[in-house]
């Protein structure tokens, strides 16, 4: 059997171009490049999506919409070893979480940095037990399918180490119940530093509509906020002027580029640390035009007109969004539902087999060896 690579597709909230280039495209390329040798599980963590408050009336529609975003970006739905499924449609995720909870210490969860960071932004009555328990559900997501590889960023590394700890704890007590995922260092080695898959540009033979904005040589970069380039682009931008969503009107997105903050040096220079605003525009131009960063830098460095550079980036973002939104509109909703239902049936079979093994070990079900 193939080893399993598991990663999650966002269940809610619109994606912005930072998500697109930094996370979505690397995930799609990983699925494409690795699916001949590995089983790729791309699950929609819809249960995770409301560990903090959301608009629940929009969750189901947003879940399906975000699956459409991945398909529009080029995810191949026809490869037999690429599986897409919704977390809540596999009930074993919830039951295994409960069982693992009973072997998890409060101290372990209290030390989770992400819980501390997220809960600090909420009033006490808005901090849910679900947010506290998030790492255990994430562990169930991984262990149910025997996943060896899980691409994680720095904010999730602690959760992955907990998944390894609880898997080893259960195996030591009850026998070989779980495949223990590889440690964080090996994960980074497998996927490339920072968790982003490094792959060669294999653009030949793929349609332009499914290639809207693809620039594999530049994936994994952190796109900066257009108004505050010292920080990365984020949904927390309340003004809306510093962020470009994938669903933005292309002309409005172009205007945001024209209004981007730069600096007062009067000469274009690529220096991400010292001159983040102008460097962000150069990075965007490389990504959107599918050129090497060095080629873009060579063409623009030393020039004095920031306005010309902004216009070049604005023209590219307009074309990029038009192409992507056209591809998105062409995605067949019925095809998505059929794919989800087919893969969810297969994933239920795998997850239920793991869950039964655990239930038998902890005394909830009779063992096949006991009459």
């Amino acid at each position: 059997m193939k080893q399993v690579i598991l990663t999650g597709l966002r269940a809610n909230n619109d994606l912005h171009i930072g998500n697109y280039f930094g996370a979505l495209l690397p995930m799609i390329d990983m699925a494409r490049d690795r699916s001949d040798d590995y089983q790729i599980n791309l699950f929609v963590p819809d249960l995770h999506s409301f560990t903090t408050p959301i608009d629940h009336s929009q969750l189901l529609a947003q879940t399906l919409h975000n699956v459409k975003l991945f398909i529009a970006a080029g995810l191949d739905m026809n490869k037999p070893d690429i599986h897409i499924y919704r977390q809540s449609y596999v009930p074993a995720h919830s039951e295994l979480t409960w069982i693992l909870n009973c072997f998890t210490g409060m101290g372990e969860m209290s030390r989770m940095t992400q819980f501390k960071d997220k809960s600090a932004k909420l009033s006490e009555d808005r901090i849910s037990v679900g947010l506290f328990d998030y790492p255990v559900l994430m562990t169930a997501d991984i262990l149910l399918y025997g996943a060896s590889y899980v691409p994680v960023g720095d904010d999730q590394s602690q959760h992955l180490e907990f998944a390894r700890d609880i898997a080893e704890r259960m195996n030591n007590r009850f026998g070989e119940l779980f495949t223990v995922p590889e440690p964080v260092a090996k994960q980074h080695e497998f996927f490339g530093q920072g968790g982003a898959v490094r792959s060669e540009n294999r653009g030949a033979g793929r349609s332009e509509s499914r290639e809207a904005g693809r620039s594999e040589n530049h994936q994994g970069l952190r796109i900066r906020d257009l108004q505050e380039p010292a920080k990365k682009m984020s949904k927390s931008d309340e003004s809306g002027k510093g962020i470009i969503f994938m669903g933005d009107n292309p002309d409005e997105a172009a205007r945001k580029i024209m209004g981007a903050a730069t600096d007062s040096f009067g000469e274009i220079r690529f220096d991400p640390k010292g001159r983040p605003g102008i460097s962000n525009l150069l990075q965007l131009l490389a990504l959107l035009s599918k050129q090497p960063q060095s080629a873009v830098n060579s063409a623009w460095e030393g020039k004095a007109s920031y306005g010309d550079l902004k216009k070049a980036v604005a023209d590219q973002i307009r074309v990029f969004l038009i192409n992507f939104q056209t591809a998105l509109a062409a995605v067949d909703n019925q095809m998505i539902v059929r794919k989800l239902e087919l893969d969810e049936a297969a994933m239920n079979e795998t997850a239920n087999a793991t869950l039964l093994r655990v239930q038998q070990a902890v005394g909830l079900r009779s063992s096949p060896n006991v009459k």
Side-chain angles (χ1 to χ4, degrees):
M1 294 179 63
K2 292 182 177 180
Q3 287 184 294
V4 175
I5 301 172
L6 180 141
T7 189
L9 312 181
R10 296 169 66 91
N12 60 310
N13 298 324
D14 197 2
L15 298 180
H16 56 69
I17 60 172
N19 301 138
Y20 181 87
F21 288 112
L24 185 149
L25 283 188
M27 193 182 299
I28 291 171
D29 290 333
M30 178 274 292
R32 181 198 66 222
D33 295 342
R34 304 278 194 176
S35 61
D36 289 340
D37 301 312
Y38 297 86
Q39 177 179 312
I40 312 296
N41 284 14
L42 304 175
F43 78 104
V44 182
D46 49 356
L47 293 173
H48 285 300
S49 66
F50 52 93
T51 53
T52 53
I54 65 165
D55 181 354
H56 289 269
S57 69
Q58 300 298 314
L59 178 58
L60 183 58
Q62 288 176 332
T63 296
L64 295 176
H65 176 71
N66 277 8
V67 175
K68 288 179 64 173
L69 290 174
F70 278 80
I71 296 169
L75 180 64
D76 190 343
M77 300 285 278
N78 297 314
K79 286 201 169 188
D81 275 319
I82 296 178
H83 302 284
I84 305 174
Y85 55 99
R86 292 162 289 190
Q87 183 185 39
S88 69
Y89 281 68
V90 184
H93 286 251
S94 299
E95 182 161 352
L96 182 59
T97 297
W98 174 256
I99 294 173
L100 296 179
N101 273 338
C102 296
F103 295 90
T104 298
M106 288 284 291
E108 288 177 296
M109 293 298 96
S110 299
R111 290 190 291 272
M112 292 294 164
T113 302
Q114 193 175 71
F115 171 74
K116 294 177 183 178
D117 291 344
K118 289 190 174 183
S119 61
K121 300 174 184 177
L122 300 170
S123 60
E124 187 172 345
D125 62 341
R126 301 277 279 180
I127 301 171
S128 71
V129 175
L131 179 61
F132 184 75
D133 200 37
Y134 178 104
V136 185
L137 178 55
M138 178 176 166
T139 295
D141 300 334
I142 297 167
L143 299 185
L144 280 171
Y145 306 97
S148 297
Y149 296 103
V150 186
V152 293
D154 292 339
D155 60 337
Q156 294 285 338
S157 295
Q158 192 179 26
H159 296 172
L160 183 60
E161 289 301 331
F162 167 74
R164 286 173 44 79
D165 290 344
I166 194 69
E168 291 173 346
R169 184 179 308 159
M170 297 293 285
N171 287 352
N172 290 336
R173 180 162 179 177
F174 297 106
E176 294 302 311
L177 295 178
F178 299 118
T179 297
V180 180
E182 295 291 349
V184 171
K186 286 193 175 182
Q187 301 284 348
H188 287 176
E189 180 182 351
F190 182 78
F191 291 110
Q193 288 299 320
V197 178
R198 297 183 180 187
S199 58
E200 296 178 357
N201 194 334
R202 305 182 184 180
R206 291 185 284 177
S207 69
E208 183 65 26
S209 65
R210 293 176 70 83
E211 285 300 293
R214 185 176 297 279
S215 181
E216 294 174 348
N217 290 335
H218 301 280
Q219 289 172 36
L221 291 175
R222 289 190 174 187
I223 306 300
R224 317 308 296 181
D225 186 285
L226 295 174
Q227 292 300 310
E228 298 182 60
K231 66 179 186 179
K232 70 177 182 178
M233 189 173 286
S234 170
K235 296 187 301 296
S236 62
D237 169 32
E238 295 181 359
S239 71
K241 296 179 181 180
I243 184 170
I244 295 176
F245 286 103
M246 300 301 292
D248 276 357
N249 177 282
D251 290 331
E252 176 59 27
R255 285 192 286 272
K256 290 180 182 181
I257 295 291
M258 295 304 297
T262 51
D263 54 50
S264 58
F265 287 94
E267 182 184 22
I268 295 172
R269 186 71 55 195
F270 186 74
D271 179 5
K273 290 186 177 180
R275 302 178 61 184
I278 205 72
S279 299
N280 194 41
L281 292 174
L282 290 169
Q283 287 179 342
L284 281 171
L285 186 57
L287 290 163
L288 295 165
S289 64
K290 308 173 198 174
Q291 297 181 67
Q293 188 68 61
S294 58
V296 170
N297 294 349
S298 295
W300 286 94
E301 284 191 324
K303 294 183 178 181
S305 177
Y306 289 9
D308 288 347
L309 175 59
K310 286 183 178 182
K311 186 178 185 305
V313 179
D315 290 343
Q316 288 287 342
I317 197 72
R318 184 184 293 107
V319 172
F320 163 70
L321 288 178
I322 289 172
N323 287 343
F324 181 82
Q325 291 169 11
T326 299
L328 183 64
V331 176
D332 183 346
N333 288 342
Q334 292 184 338
M335 179 269 289
I336 291 175
V337 172
R338 287 195 300 270
K339 172 67 173 174
L340 286 169
E341 290 176 346
L342 181 66
D343 285 354
E344 283 159 3
M347 294 300 101
N348 266 293
E349 185 174 344
T350 299
N352 287 340
T354 302
L355 178 61
L356 177 59
R357 191 164 64 246
V358 176
Q359 290 170 326
Q360 290 169 336
V362 301
L364 295 173
R365 300 289 187 273
S366 63
S367 170
N369 299 320
V370 177
K371 296 183 179 180

